[in-house]
């Protein structure tokens, strides 16, 4: 309010007059929130409003006439400012105002020069509180940022949920200057308990205290699950609508104000998109104020909420860790199992290997003790096993046999003789053959060698076992025996021939007749002499063929010719036995010594007739085969030959029944001679038979070359 006394001062008069004329402006001047002052060029206060008096802490009277410089520091030079400001323009700035009562205020001003000549208008505003508030807020925000980074760091550094929660409550309590901060976990049965707490020493702890369900009913939980945040300034204020039992519970702990933020757990954050994810209330982050009601500010609320989110992240991480630990546990258990199994397997394998080694040693011991040469050759024709005798036989060390190719071990010449048999064994055939081998000592020995193929479950030939026995001694004996028989046969043949001729003449009766008994005796003698002659001839024949002491005179022959020749020769015998002899001659040309082939054929036909019953038929057939050979067959309907004898009857003096020679007048040499003849023609001979139904003797001869 303007006073009469001030009107006396020059300069103020005009303004006052103007103001009086304008009651509205006067009222604004008086009631303005900002301080308004009118000064002269030196900064002397000519007029001030009530707000200015309040700002300077002086009465209107005391302030009028004082200069602004009295209240500022030396740096604030009013005259200088006026000098720099052009007339009619404005200048804003700040200065520190030191009031007479000693209080320091920060003031913001706007100076308008010469609103009337030499009178300047100053509008002043105390910005001390505003600045302090801004600074406080900044400090507060910095604290929160620190808290944030600390808690977030803790979450990153630690995966231990308990540790994270403890750090959170401690830091929140410190920054918020709250009396108690706690984390309350909601349990599945609707109850809950404080699992982490930071509380000032003057207040009771509620850590581990279980909250009854009534205190925290389902509907509250539902609201919190939806993300509700509650800031309660005064718990006793009925506007908060807190349940009576909750208020009673709260009172026990002197709680006046509460700030509650839900901690949510995103159940499906890993499997589903955000829109589908489902939140579950895990717990609450709660701040208590106990000494008096507290007005929570928005910023605190926001920060609490963000911290609750961080805890949610920590929860998810802890969950992950738990899952990870479970997985690790399971995997470790599995690994242990695998280890155990592996261990077991290694043990088993070691045992199996040592058993194998033992059995190999035994096998080696046994095979080393045998007077037979034993070896195993794989499908690449490389030695995989051999006994000691084999090494001695070859005069080679194990290193020069094991893993080496047969050719390398035996040399080119010997391998040439073995190759066909080796290949046959590797095709899965059992092979037996004889071979003359020059040993390391330079001596030549005869060996009987058998290859037995090793065929696996998939019928694949993996190799073969080779068994060889030295038959040199047996061969020598055989040779001596043969020579002996040969010599004896030769010596026998001349006297036998004359004996046989003499008996033949006697039997005819041309030299006189005998009694019936005498005649009978003579016929028996004749018959047996004839058999003896045949035997001697056969022995000599065989001997000759075996020793190669004969020459095959091969020429182009018609198969039909010697088939007819042989049949005709055997016709009388067939008639004598009441057997029909049938032949189907074929017009094939072959390269043979026909005399020997006729000999073979007549021998087979004579056997067929001999072993046929009267009334039976014997067939002689021949046919051309694909493999450029001709197949001959002598088939009868006789008694047949057992399977076990089909091969042995081709050996010397071998008969199905030892009485055959006596009963049928045979020598047991016919088939052996046949085989020799056919083999000399590079053919094969064999027999097939069904007991009681008959036998078939086959032999092949090569077709005419070209
Ligand atoms: P042999 O002179 O004893 O006939 P072989 O060598 O010709 O001598 O025959 C040997 C044995 O083979 C005969 O003793 C007989 O036991 C048997 N054999 C040969 N051919 C036949 C056949 N067609 N039917 C039955 N057994 C036969």
């Amino acid at each position: 309010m303007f006073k009469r006394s001030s009107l006396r001062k020059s300069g103020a008069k005009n303004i006052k007059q103007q103001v009086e004329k304008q009651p509205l402006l006067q009222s604004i001047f008086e009631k303005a929130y900002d301080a308004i002052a009118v000064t002269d060029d030196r900064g002397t206060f000519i007029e001030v409003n009530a707000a200015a008096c309040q700002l300077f802490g002086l009465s209107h009277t005391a302030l009028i006439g004082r200069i602004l410089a009295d209240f500022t520091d030396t740096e604030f030079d009013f005259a200088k400012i006026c000098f720099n400001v052009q007339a009619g323009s404005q200048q804003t700035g700040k200065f520190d105002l030191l009031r007479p009562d000693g209080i320091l205020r920060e003031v913001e001003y706007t100076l308008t020069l010469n609103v009337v000549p030499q009178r300047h208008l100053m509008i002043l505003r105390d910005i001390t509180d505003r600045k302090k508030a801004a600074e406080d807020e900044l400090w507060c925000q910095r604290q929160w940022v620190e808290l944030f980074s600390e808690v977030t760091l803790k979450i990153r550094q630690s995966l231990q949920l308990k540790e994270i929660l403890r750090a959170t409550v401690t830091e929140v309590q410190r920054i918020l200057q709250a009396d108690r901060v706690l984390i309350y976990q909601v349990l599945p049965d609707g109850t809950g308990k404080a699992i982490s707490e930071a509380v000032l020493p003057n207040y009771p702890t509620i850590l581990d205290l279980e909250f009854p369900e009534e205190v925290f009913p389902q509907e509250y939980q539902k609201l919190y699950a939806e993300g509700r945040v509650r800031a309660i300034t005064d718990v006793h204020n009925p506007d908060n609508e807190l349940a009576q039992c909750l208020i009673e519970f709260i009172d026990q702990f002197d709680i006046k104000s509460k700030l509650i933020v839900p901690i949510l757990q995103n159940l499906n954050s890993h499997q589903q998109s955000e829109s589908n994810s489902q939140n579950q209330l895990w717990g609450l982050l709660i701040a208590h104020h106990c000494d008096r009601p507290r007005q929570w500010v928005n910023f605190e609320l926001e920060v609490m909420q963000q911290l609750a989110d961080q805890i949610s992240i920590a929860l998810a991480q802890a969950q992950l860790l738990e899952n990870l630990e479970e997985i690790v546990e399971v995997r470790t258990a599995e690994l242990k199992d695998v280890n155990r199994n592996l261990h077991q397997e290694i043990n088993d394998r070691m045992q199996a290997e040592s058993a194998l080694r033992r059995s190999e040693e035994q096998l080696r011991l046994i095979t080393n003790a045998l007077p037979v040469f034993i070896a195993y050759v794989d499908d690449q024709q490389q030695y995989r096993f051999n006994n000691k005798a084999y090494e001695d036989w070859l005069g080679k060390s194990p290193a020069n046999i094991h893993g080496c190719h047969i050719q390398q071990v035996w040399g080119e010449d010997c391998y040439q003789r073995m190759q066909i048999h080796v290949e046959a064994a590797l095709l899965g055939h059992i092979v037996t053959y004889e071979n003359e081998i020059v040993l390391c000592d330079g001596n030549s020995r005869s060996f009987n060698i058998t290859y037995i193929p090793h065929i696996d479950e998939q019928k694949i030939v993996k190799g073969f076992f080779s068994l060889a026995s030295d038959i040199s001694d047996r061969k020598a004996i055989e040779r001596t025996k043969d020579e002996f028989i040969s010599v004896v046969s030769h010596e026998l043949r001349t006297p036998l021939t004359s004996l046989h001729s003499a008996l033949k003449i006697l039997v005819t009766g041309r030299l006189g007749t005998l009694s019936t008994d005498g005649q009978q005796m003579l016929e028996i003698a004749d018959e047996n002499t004839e058999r003896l002659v045949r035997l001697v001839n056969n022995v000599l024949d065989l001997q000759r063929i075996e020793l190669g002491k004969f020459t095959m005179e091969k020429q182009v022959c018609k198969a039909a010719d010697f088939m007819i020749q042989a049949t005709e020769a055997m016709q009388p015998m067939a008639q004598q036995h009441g057997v029909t002899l049938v032949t189907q001659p074929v017009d094939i040309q072959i390269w043979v010594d026909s005399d020997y082939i006729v000999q073979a054929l007549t021998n087979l036909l004579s056997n067929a007739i001999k072993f046929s019953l009267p009334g039976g038929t014997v067939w002689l057939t021949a046919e051309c085969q694909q493999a450029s050979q001709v197949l001959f067959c002598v088939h009868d309907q006789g008694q047949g030959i057992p399977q076990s004898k089909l091969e042995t009857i081709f050996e010397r003096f071998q008969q199905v029944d030892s009485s055959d020679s006596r009963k049928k007048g045979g020598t047991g040499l016919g088939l052996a001679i046949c085989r020799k003849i056919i083999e000399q023609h590079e053919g094969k001979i064999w027999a097939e038979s069904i007991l009681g139904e008959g036998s078939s003797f086959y032999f092949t001869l090569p077709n005419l070359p070209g």
Side-chain angles (χ1 to χ4, degrees):
M1 185 170 295
F2 288 162
K3 296 199 174 149
R4 288 258 161 226
S5 60
S6 64
L7 293 178
R8 279 199 301 270
K9 304 214 173 175
S10 66
K13 198 175 169 187
N14 288 342
I15 294 175
K16 192 180 175 220
Q17 282 167 355
Q18 280 176 26
V19 172
E20 276 173 349
K21 285 177 199 164
Q22 297 170 30
L24 176 65
L25 284 177
Q26 186 188 1
S27 170
I28 291 170
F29 180 78
E30 276 305 321
K31 290 185 178 163
Y33 174 76
D34 289 326
I36 303 172
V38 178
T39 68
D40 63 9
D41 291 336
R42 282 183 59 234
T44 312
F45 292 117
I46 306 297
E47 185 55 275
V48 292
N49 68 352
C53 296
Q54 204 183 342
L55 175 64
F56 283 83
L58 289 173
S59 67
H60 186 266
T61 325
L63 193 55
I64 297 298
R66 299 282 301 267
I67 60 168
L68 185 57
D70 293 345
F71 304 94
T72 64
D73 56 27
T74 47
E75 276 175 34
F76 185 82
D77 186 345
F78 187 79
K80 203 173 163 190
I81 292 169
C82 291
F83 180 76
N84 288 335
V85 182
Q86 297 197 345
S89 65
Q90 284 186 331
Q91 163 84 31
T92 53
K94 280 183 205 162
F95 62 85
D96 288 333
L97 170 70
L98 187 64
R99 296 187 353 168
D101 56 10
I103 294 171
L104 189 70
R105 311 294 291 179
E106 196 173 347
V107 174
E108 194 180 68
Y109 68 87
T110 307
L111 175 67
T112 311
L113 289 183
N114 300 315
V115 285
V116 291
Q118 294 179 327
R119 292 294 177 265
H120 315 298
L121 176 69
M122 269 193 113
I123 297 172
L124 303 142
R125 182 175 292 165
D126 185 349
I127 58 165
T128 318
D129 292 344
R130 198 182 79 199
K131 219 172 154 200
K132 179 148 189 329
E135 273 172 11
D136 281 358
E137 198 178 326
L138 210 66
W139 180 84
C140 215
Q141 283 184 4
R142 216 173 33 240
Q143 294 289 307
W144 277 111
V145 170
E146 270 173 28
L147 164 66
F148 247 140
S149 37
E150 205 152 324
V151 174
T152 314
L153 192 72
K154 283 261 160 59
I155 290 170
R156 286 213 195 112
Q157 282 175 343
S158 168
L159 288 169
Q160 296 304 316
L161 189 63
K162 231 175 166 179
E163 202 179 300
I164 293 166
L165 299 182
R166 200 177 44 244
T168 309
V169 290
T170 311
E171 296 305 319
V172 174
Q173 192 269 328
R174 182 169 66 83
I175 306 299
L176 214 60
Q177 296 287 296
D179 297 331
R180 181 188 293 110
V181 173
L182 60 94
I183 287 170
Y184 171 86
Q185 189 181 4
V186 177
L187 300 174
D189 62 359
T191 62
K193 69 173 180 181
I195 58 164
S196 198
E197 181 189 38
V199 61
L200 291 182
N202 330 354
Y203 301 103
T205 175
I206 54 178
L207 189 66
D208 290 335
L209 186 76
E210 289 199 8
F211 288 36
E213 204 195 337
E214 317 79 79
V215 166
F216 191 49
Q218 283 292 321
E219 54 268 33
Y220 278 31
Q221 293 195 21
K222 213 167 146 246
L223 288 172
Y224 284 124
E226 285 163 10
R228 161 167 118 156
V229 175
R230 289 208 82 183
I232 301 168
T233 306
D234 184 357
V235 292
H236 291 107
N237 186 339
D239 293 347
N240 293 318
E241 294 176 348
L242 293 183
Q244 190 49 41
C245 62
L246 178 58
I247 295 173
E248 282 166 19
F249 183 80
I250 284 169
D251 280 345
Q252 288 177 46
F253 302 99
D254 274 349
I255 299 162
K256 303 278 185 321
S257 298
K258 286 181 81 167
L259 184 57
I260 309 148
V261 179
I263 301 166
L264 302 174
Q265 202 176 13
N266 192 328
L267 289 180
N268 306 311
S269 55
H270 305 298
Q271 294 98 7
Q272 297 179 11
S273 67
E274 218 171 277
S275 57
N276 288 333
S277 63
Q278 193 189 337
N279 285 333
Q280 191 189 47
L281 181 67
W282 177 85
L284 301 167
L285 175 61
I286 305 171
H288 287 158
H289 217 77
C290 301
D291 70 335
R292 61 190 147 78
R294 171 172 175 168
Q295 178 77 49
W296 304 100
V297 297
N298 270 347
F299 178 68
E300 290 168 338
L301 239 89
E302 263 170 39
V303 172
M304 283 277 281
Q305 207 160 1
Q306 287 179 27
L307 274 172
D309 289 348
Q310 291 294 316
I311 295 172
S312 293
I313 293 168
L315 280 175
Q317 284 186 358
Q319 185 70 48
L320 264 180
L321 179 70
E322 205 175 296
N323 291 347
L324 209 68
E325 278 171 351
E326 264 173 36
I327 291 168
V328 169
E329 213 170 292
V330 171
R331 289 280 184 281
T332 313
E334 281 174 5
L335 215 66
K336 270 187 193 157
D337 272 359
V338 169
N339 263 347
R340 209 175 302 123
N341 290 344
L342 213 67
H343 210 245
Q344 184 66 41
E345 208 171 293
I346 290 168
N347 262 350
D348 289 354
R349 201 167 287 184
M350 276 166 68
Q351 275 177 9
E353 272 171 15
S354 86
L356 194 71
R357 260 200 307 278
R358 270 202 309 278
S359 104
E360 246 184 49
E361 273 161 26
Q362 277 173 0
L363 181 73
R364 200 167 285 280
L365 265 175
I366 294 166
T367 55
N368 282 349
L370 288 175
V372 187
F373 308 98
I374 301 169
Y376 178 79
V377 176
D378 69 15
D379 55 352
Q380 301 300 308
Q381 302 192 17
Q382 287 172 341
Y383 281 94
R384 292 290 155 213
F385 176 85
N386 64 274
N387 67 346
K388 178 82 173 48
Y390 214 88
E391 289 157 21
D392 298 344
W393 180 29
L394 277 161
K396 285 182 187 266
S397 68
N400 289 326
I401 302 175
H402 192 86
C404 298
H405 195 276
I406 302 178
Q407 191 176 8
Q408 194 185 341
V409 172
W410 288 103
E412 183 59 38
D413 280 356
C414 196
Y415 180 66
Q416 290 281 325
R417 294 198 298 277
M418 297 162 91
Q419 194 175 5
I420 183 171
H421 306 293
V422 168
E423 283 168 3
L426 289 175
L427 284 172
H429 304 291
I430 296 177
V431 185
T432 300
Y433 68 102
E434 287 177 11
N435 203 354
E436 284 287 317
I437 294 173
V438 180
L439 297 185
C440 58
D441 57 9
N443 286 327
S444 175
R445 307 283 291 174
S446 296
F447 284 92
N448 181 285
I449 302 165
T450 303
Y451 295 155
I452 302 163
H454 167 213
I455 302 171
D456 72 3
E457 284 156 7
Q458 277 84 43
K459 306 260 182 283
I460 295 169
V461 182
K462 309 297 281 183
F464 63 85
F465 299 94
S466 162
L467 307 169
S469 43
D470 189 342
I471 55 165
S472 309
D473 295 345
R474 198 184 83 200
K475 281 266 173 192
I477 292 167
E478 271 177 16
R479 257 195 311 277
T480 317
K481 188 189 73 188
D482 288 348
E483 276 164 23
F484 170 75
I485 292 170
S486 167
V487 170
V488 171
S489 303
H490 264 292
E491 294 308 313
L492 280 177
R493 190 151 64 172
T494 320
L496 256 182
T497 314
S498 54
L499 193 64
H500 186 223
S501 310
L503 283 172
K504 273 266 179 265
I505 295 168
L506 284 175
V507 167
T508 57
R510 265 186 277 156
L511 299 178
T513 48
L514 288 170
S515 64
T516 319
D517 283 351
Q519 183 65 29
Q520 211 175 343
M521 289 288 279
L522 194 61
E523 279 174 13
I524 293 171
D526 177 47
E527 212 172 280
N528 278 308
T529 313
E530 199 176 303
R531 219 179 111 207
L532 206 56
V533 169
R534 222 169 34 242
L535 177 67
V536 169
N537 283 338
N538 277 346
V539 167
L540 290 174
D541 272 358
L542 191 64
Q543 195 77 17
R544 217 173 53 239
I545 296 169
E546 275 182 350
L547 294 176
K549 286 183 184 167
F550 71 106
T551 42
M552 291 264 171
E553 287 173 7
K554 293 182 187 170
Q555 53 192 346
V556 180
C557 305
K558 281 187 185 159
D561 289 349
F562 54 73
M563 285 172 83
I564 292 165
Q565 201 184 329
T567 320
E568 279 173 356
M570 296 316 296
Q571 204 62 53
M573 188 183 173
Q575 274 169 6
Q576 204 183 335
H577 281 79
V579 172
T580 312
L581 195 52
V582 179
T583 183
Q584 290 159 345
V586 286
D587 195 14
I588 307 169
Q589 288 197 323
I590 45 176
W591 179 256
V592 292
D593 183 324
S594 61
D595 286 348
Y596 278 105
I597 299 299
V598 170
Q599 187 184 344
L601 274 177
T602 50
N603 190 33
L604 294 176
L605 286 171
S606 99
N607 278 349
I609 295 165
K610 261 196 307 193
F611 292 99
S612 286
L613 292 171
T617 306
V618 170
W619 286 270
L620 169 61
T621 55
E623 62 177 274
C624 230
Q625 285 204 313
Q626 276 180 349
S628 63
Q629 60 184 12
V630 184
L631 177 71
F632 291 86
C633 175
V634 175
H635 177 68
D636 66 57
Q637 298 170 309
Q639 63 190 49
I641 305 160
Q643 290 293 311
S644 59
K645 301 278 182 179
L646 284 175
E647 189 51 37
T648 51
I649 53 173
F650 286 94
E651 288 171 21
R652 285 181 288 178
F653 306 113
Q654 291 294 329
Q655 291 168 319
V656 173
D657 190 332
S658 55
S659 62
D660 279 354
S661 66
R662 204 174 2 94
K663 283 196 251 164
K664 308 284 179 182
T667 61
L669 288 172
L671 288 177
I673 293 170
C674 283
R675 176 161 273 179
K676 291 291 171 196
I677 292 171
I678 300 302
E679 280 175 359
Q680 289 293 332
H681 283 86
E682 279 132 37
K684 273 188 188 166
I685 184 166
W686 71 95
E688 291 174 9
S689 179
I690 300 172
L691 269 181
E693 287 187 20
S695 310
S696 297
F697 282 79
Y698 296 96
F699 68 88
T700 60
L701 289 174
N703 217 344
L704 185 65

